[in-house]
Every structure is written in structure tokens, then in C-alpha cells.
Amino acid sequence: MLRSPHALLLDFGGVLADAPPQPPAPPELVRRLSHLVEGTVSDGQLAADLAEGARSYSAWRDGAGREAEPVELPHSRVWAEFVTGSWPRPARDAVDREATPLSYAWTWRADWAVRPGIPEALRAATEAGLPLAVVSNTLCGAAHRDFLAAAGLAGLFAAQFYSDEAGPRKPNPRLALLAAEAVGVPIDRCWFVGDTLGRDVECARRAGAGAAILMRSPRTDREPPHPAVTPDARVEDGHGLLALLRHARDSAG
């Protein structure tokens, strides 16, 4: 039986929003880089290096997730270590100067969509007096903030914590603990809602969250097995989360 929470900590991708995977080298980002480097790197190489950089950064994230306390890389290091290493110095310097807006562009998805039932679940939680916080690994949290604002949901959150801004990366428990502290609720009275076992549920366990809720997404199904990590409950979407909240509340009397 799950104890009714006093706050919700929620992942962004796979929980609040979803989108089909984008091409590893988005054409608009290639065009932007081409203009920035003024022809010193061909469009073909730009696209190839972006695609390889996306794969390498993904592999780095997977490896970091196996560390005890992973931390996010600064925007400039992501570009320098995974994309621009073989480029001429002027091109590398130009990207370094624009690393943050380029990271925003690489993160942003035009086809992000709020997951089914999420607005209803968030508003019901807010009406019940539960503070909400975002706890998300990302290259650029500003893109997530802008999406939530455009979707009319940003005002429901008491706090938003993103790895590129805060430093820790899930499953580093510090990211969840920072969010719990920000909303003024002990972590053992918070539900942590995420779509991965290895990052989200493991983060919740390390932090001592009151419950770890796994919301299924396409990423959940692609994740390798984590037999030692078990959520307290599984839901399919925001509708399932709302039903779980109501059941916990009703069970508490």
C-alpha cells in the first residue's frame, strides 16, 4: 500500500512530454552551424559529426549513469568533446562561444507533446495541495522550461531542476534531494515519477523517496534489464498516475 504523497517529483521526457526521436543531425541545426563556421567545415562533415556526436554523448550518458554520483557536462564541453574536435580552430571557437544556444537548439523538439492525462494529474495534485517539481537529465533545461510554459503547465511547478543547470545527473540522488528541499517536503514523503529503472527508479531509491513510480514510455521498453531495481508502482500515463494518487488518498482515509 502506497502512502499518500506530500509532493511529486517528475521527470520531463517520458513523463511530462514525449516526442518521436529526431534525426541525429537535424537539418536546421546543420544549417545554423554552417552559417556559424562560415564554410570552414562542409555541410556533409557537419551532419556526420553531429550524428556521431549524438551517439557518443548518448554512450557517455549511459556510462555516467553507472557511476555513484554522475554530474552533467557543461555545454561547451559537450560540443568540444563530442562534435567539434576535428574542426579548424576558428570553427571550434565559434561553436564554443555559442555553445548554450546551440545546445538549446539541439535539445528542442518541435513535436514534443504533453503526455495523455498529465494536465489532469498535475492540476489535481496542485488542487490537493501537493507541490510539484521537475527532476530531469538534459543537455539544456531551458528548452524544457519553454515547452512547459508554452503548454500552460509551467505555473503548476514550484521548482524545476535540470542536470545542466544544477550539476548532478540522475541517478545521482542529489538532483532529487535538491528538488525536495526546494518544495519544502522531506524526500521520504515525495513520490518520484520517471520512465526508466536505471536512472529514475534508482535515483528515487538512492535519495530515499517515499515511492518510486515507473511511467511506461518507449524509452522504458528499450531500456536494458535492471533486475535489482523495482518500482513501487507502474502506470501507463498521466491518467494512471491520477488514479494511483486518488487510490492512495482514499486508502489513507
Side-chain angles (χ1 to χ4, degrees):
M1 183 70 66
L2 292 181
R3 184 169 63 168
S4 187
H6 288 193
L8 295 182
L9 312 181
L10 305 107
D11 188 20
F12 178 86
V15 173
L16 300 177
D18 252 334
Q22 73 168 356
E28 180 56 38
L29 184 53
V30 172
R31 286 192 290 271
R32 182 168 178 171
L33 284 168
S34 182
H35 177 75
L36 185 64
V37 303
E38 299 180 330
T40 58
V41 182
S42 71
D43 285 3
Q45 185 178 349
L46 292 173
D49 288 345
L50 265 178
E52 180 56 34
R55 288 188 288 270
S56 298
Y57 182 47
S58 178
W60 176 87
R61 295 195 304 264
D62 290 343
R66 293 188 287 272
E67 299 173 2
E69 296 184 344
V71 295
E72 188 60 79
L73 295 176
H75 298 153
S76 58
R77 280 192 62 188
V78 172
W79 286 92
E81 294 189 14
F82 301 119
V83 181
T84 68
S86 66
W87 297 5
R89 170 62 68 181
R92 298 201 306 270
D93 289 346
V95 169
D96 184 72
R97 288 191 295 269
E98 296 295 318
T100 292
L102 288 170
S103 296
Y104 182 106
W106 208 5
T107 301
W108 179 264
R109 303 287 189 273
D111 49 4
W112 266 332
V114 176
R115 291 208 64 186
I118 281 297
E120 295 87 345
L122 298 182
R123 292 192 173 99
T126 301
E127 290 168 4
L130 306 184
L132 311 176
V134 181
V135 182
S136 178
N137 289 347
T138 180
L139 174 61
C140 189
H144 294 192
R145 291 177 184 277
D146 286 352
F147 172 81
L148 291 174
L153 300 177
L156 299 176
F157 290 96
Q160 297 184 46
F161 281 85
Y162 299 104
S163 59
D164 72 308
E165 300 171 354
R169 278 185 60 85
K170 297 177 293 185
N172 189 331
R174 185 62 183 153
L175 199 60
L177 292 168
L178 286 169
E181 181 180 355
V183 301
V185 175
I187 190 67
D188 64 354
R189 301 310 305 269
C190 299
W191 282 10
F192 190 111
V193 187
D195 70 325
T196 63
L197 291 168
R199 292 177 187 171
D200 296 311
V201 176
E202 179 67 17
C203 180
R205 294 289 182 239
R206 292 186 190 180
I213 313 301
L214 185 69
M215 183 179 291
R216 186 180 179 187
S217 78
R219 185 166 53 181
T220 312
D221 297 337
R222 296 192 301 266
E223 190 179 17
H226 291 273
V229 184
T230 305
D232 294 295
R234 298 173 183 261
V235 297
E236 291 295 315
D237 53 23
H239 297 299
L241 177 61
L242 178 55
L244 196 65
L245 285 166
R246 286 173 172 166
H247 181 72
R249 180 199 61 196
D250 294 344
S251 298

